[in-house]
Amino acid sequence: LILGRSVIGFAVCNEFGIGIFEIRPRYRRQGHGRTFARQIIQKLFANGSEKLNVHCVPAESQHFWRSLGFTDKEPQYQPWNVRLVLHNPVVRQALQ
C-alpha cells in the first residue's frame, strides 16, 4: 500500500486467505487498512476464491477483521488462536 511516495502497508495473501496484513503504526486508525483490506478481499473473490481465512495475530486484530464481515471459522479454544473466515457472497448465494 503506497500513500504518496511512502509504503505504508503490505499484505501477503493467496486464494485461501490473508496470511500477513500490516499497516505502519503511524498510519493506523485513519481508514487506510480498511480500504486496503476491502480491495484485497474484492480482488481475491473476483479471482475465484470461495472463502478467505485469517489467523488473528495478535488476537486483538480480530475486531478489525470482524468489522469487515469475517466470522468464527471454528470453535475458539484458546483466546490467542483466533481463526476467522469470510465466505464469498456470490458463491454463498448460488448455493442457496
Side-chain angles (χ1 to χ4, degrees), residues 1-3 8-9 11 13 18 21 23 31-47 52 64-65 68 70 86:
L1 177 61
I2 299 173
L3 182 63
I8 65 167
C13 50
I18 302 168
F21 184 88
I23 301 296
H32 301 298
R34 184 172 307 285
T35 300
F36 187 38
R38 285 182 177 149
Q39 290 173 347
I40 292 168
I41 291 165
Q42 182 179 24
K43 180 89 167 176
L44 291 170
F45 282 159
N47 286 335
L52 302 175
F64 171 78
W65 295 109
L68 293 169
F70 283 78
L86 179 66

Side-chain angles (χ1 to χ4, degrees), residues 64-96:
F64 171 78
W65 295 109
R66 288 181 192 282
S67 75
L68 293 169
F70 283 78
T71 58
D72 291 328
K73 180 177 179 182
E74 53 197 38
Q76 308 295 324
Y77 298 109
Q78 302 95 6
W80 63 87
N81 191 18
V82 179
R83 296 170 190 258
L84 303 176
V85 65
L86 179 66
H87 294 273
N88 186 332
V90 174
V91 172
R92 181 168 261 185
Q93 186 177 28
L95 295 174
Q96 295 178 351

